[in-house]
Amino acid sequence: MKRFHVTTFGCQMNEHDSERMKGMLESLGYSEAPAREEADLILFNTCSIREKADERFVSHLYDARALKRKDPERVIGVGGCWAQSVKDQVFRDYPFVDVAFGPGQVHKLAEFLTSDSLTAQGFFEFEGFTGHLPGKRARDVHAWVQISAGCNMKCSYCIVPSTRGREVSRPFEELVEEVRVLASEGVREVTLLGQNVNSYGTRLRPEPRKFSELLHAVDAIDGIERIRYTSPHPAHMTEDVIRAHAELESVCQHIHLPLQAGSSRVLKRMRRTYGRERFMDRVALIREHVPDCAITTDIIVGFPGETEAEFAETLEVVEEVGFDGAFTFIYSPRRDTEAAEFVDEFVPHEVQTERMERLVEAVQRRARERAQRFVGRTLDVLVDGPSRYDPARLRGRTTHNKVVNFDGLAAPGEFVSVEIATATSQSLTGSESLLSRVA
Ligand code: SAH
Ligand code: SF4
Ligand code: F3S
């Protein structure tokens, strides 16, 4: 039996697509190898969001080349956003690659593997959602559900519109049915995925749909106890979506709302289509309807032309909002994006790293302060498995998406009540409430 190994880089969308690749390969009779060295088919699902992502991946690719030199029968495949963004150059620059495909052509991998052709092939036209393919879930009780592909926004720093193409929503009924099947298989938590989830459905025909309708429909499915989604766009964050967090029991008390920058001028140059006020107004609306909701974000520092005063506005927003967590990035110029042309205004690297340090300090301090509200409370935790730091303890997540390391006896996939004892910016600790077991 032939064996495959997949290395996944990038966002949840890639994790989702990799699960589909694995499921598809198993349906072709392949099995998963525990390590790259043992695989006949070495696959990479790639990301190109920042320069570092590219660099990391290329060193893995050379590792695969070394393995292929030892055994030339090995097949090397490269899928995902990096593959899409460099297209046919892949074969020129990395001639040892056998097959390359973009995010919309995962199924083509099967076509390649089952054809007689031995020549290298590339597949880069969007043809369909991987949601149709069989999946192999990393966790039994959690599933990714891709609700749309692509992105119609034009954020000036971002490579995604060129790697994932125009936005297409999957049919409403098809998604509801997919979640129903997942629930019948034991899935308790779903994460709805899209680059801009809250623009879901506006162009569906014959009947346009709203993202909040989808939340209602998924909430109504028996067995689904937690619904998450990523990422919503602040410009499209409407009140009906925010209310769904208050009104629907399974919609989690967590919203990841990417800020990117605190200065309206920078946001404009980023083409984010909202300003600081609109963002703060969304936060206020969330706090009004869902007071305990965790809010996390993405922030870019050192965008071309960002002045010290503008960066200070980002710090102000971080102080004012008090995010429960944030992913922070140094601006990285990407090929074929508008901002990559603003060369004259590039912020020197030392300035970027210095701003980054100040930002991380503020983010972590505020997140730590925010997390103190959980100490002394008893929270529902969905158990993932053993704690990463101490295998004698368990690890799970609260509805706020906070990681909890705790003492307890529960099995992965169970919901338990945990009394929270301590909180840092990153995680909580506690112990399983014995009362919850008795009940
Ligand atoms: N569609 C999602 C995010 C996709 S990329 C959204 O719009 O929220 C995830 C994050 O990477 C972005 O939110 C942004 O903060 C960061 N990012 C994207 N392009 C970048 C670049 N060129 N340099 C630095 N960070 C970037
Ligand atoms: Fe990129 Fe902006 Fe689309 Fe997000 S919304 S994927 S940041 S272009
Ligand atoms: Fe990376 Fe593509 Fe996701 S560039 S972040 S894998 S959409």
Side-chain angles (χ1 to χ4, degrees), residues 226-273:
R226 281 186 176 177
I227 305 171
R228 301 186 186 282
Y229 57 83
T230 197
S231 288
H233 193 288
H236 307 143
M237 199 63 191
T238 45
E239 190 166 344
D240 54 332
V241 175
I242 295 173
R243 292 180 78 105
H245 286 262
E247 291 162 4
L248 305 177
E249 210 179 326
S250 54
V251 177
C252 286
Q253 304 268 304
H254 171 220
I255 297 178
H256 181 73
L257 198 63
L259 167 69
Q260 312 302 1
S263 143
S264 295
R265 194 193 77 106
V266 173
L267 286 168
K268 190 156 196 191
R269 289 161 49 85
M270 287 178 163
R271 294 199 189 276
R272 285 294 285 179
T273 71

Side-chain angles (χ1 to χ4, degrees), residues 151 153 155 157-158 160-161 195 233 272:
C151 183
M153 303 305 283
C155 302
Y157 51 82
C158 184
V160 173
Q195 295 306 332
H233 193 288
R272 285 294 285 179

Side-chain angles (χ1 to χ4, degrees), residues 142-375:
H142 174 265
W144 307 109
V145 177
Q146 184 189 11
I147 67 168
S148 60
C151 183
N152 285 357
M153 303 305 283
K154 296 187 178 70
C155 302
S156 59
Y157 51 82
C158 184
I159 198 169
V160 173
S162 75
T163 64
R164 301 241 171 204
R166 301 286 296 167
E167 185 181 288
V168 191
S169 296
R170 284 177 66 198
F172 191 86
E173 292 73 19
E174 187 181 303
L175 287 171
V176 175
E177 186 50 31
E178 186 170 311
V179 179
R180 232 180 245 128
V181 172
L182 290 168
S184 73
E185 293 169 0
V187 167
R188 294 283 157 270
E189 177 177 318
V190 290
T191 306
L192 309 179
L193 292 178
Q195 295 306 332
N196 184 347
V197 281
N198 46 359
S199 71
Y200 170 80
T202 46
R203 275 172 303 276
L204 276 174
R205 294 292 175 269
E207 196 190 349
R209 295 288 196 160
K210 288 203 284 193
F211 180 58
S212 60
E213 279 180 78
L214 184 62
L215 291 175
H216 280 263
V218 174
D219 175 74
I221 297 171
D222 274 349
I224 298 300
E225 295 181 56
R226 281 186 176 177
I227 305 171
R228 301 186 186 282
Y229 57 83
T230 197
S231 288
H233 193 288
H236 307 143
M237 199 63 191
T238 45
E239 190 166 344
D240 54 332
V241 175
I242 295 173
R243 292 180 78 105
H245 286 262
E247 291 162 4
L248 305 177
E249 210 179 326
S250 54
V251 177
C252 286
Q253 304 268 304
H254 171 220
I255 297 178
H256 181 73
L257 198 63
L259 167 69
Q260 312 302 1
S263 143
S264 295
R265 194 193 77 106
V266 173
L267 286 168
K268 190 156 196 191
R269 289 161 49 85
M270 287 178 163
R271 294 199 189 276
R272 285 294 285 179
T273 71
Y274 57 87
R276 175 174 173 171
E277 251 124 72
R278 164 80 183 181
F279 187 88
M280 292 311 292
D281 164 68
R282 297 299 93 185
V283 170
L285 205 59
I286 294 169
R287 296 258 154 93
E288 179 191 326
H289 289 294
V290 206
D292 196 35
C293 194
I295 304 178
T296 57
T297 198
D298 291 348
I299 298 169
I300 298 176
V301 292
F303 184 76
E306 182 191 71
T307 63
E308 174 57 30
E310 285 162 352
F311 171 66
E313 287 198 66
T314 297
L315 288 180
E316 275 168 30
V317 173
V318 166
E319 296 292 350
E320 264 176 69
V321 175
F323 292 106
D324 293 81
F327 296 113
T328 50
F329 309 103
I330 287 183
Y331 168 74
S332 168
R334 303 286 54 213
R335 51 190 160 271
D336 306 325
T337 58
E338 188 188 349
E341 322 250 304
F342 305 160
V343 235
D344 296 346
E345 294 172 274
F346 277 5
V347 175
H349 191 68
E350 320 78 77
V351 177
Q352 289 180 315
T353 50
E354 188 269 335
R355 285 182 190 167
M356 182 66 148
E357 278 169 24
R358 283 191 282 156
L359 177 64
V360 168
E361 185 282 320
V363 161
Q364 288 184 349
R365 175 170 41 74
R366 294 297 281 129
R368 195 167 50 241
E369 286 165 10
R370 283 279 295 163
Q372 301 314 310
R373 75 185 188 280
F374 300 125
V375 174

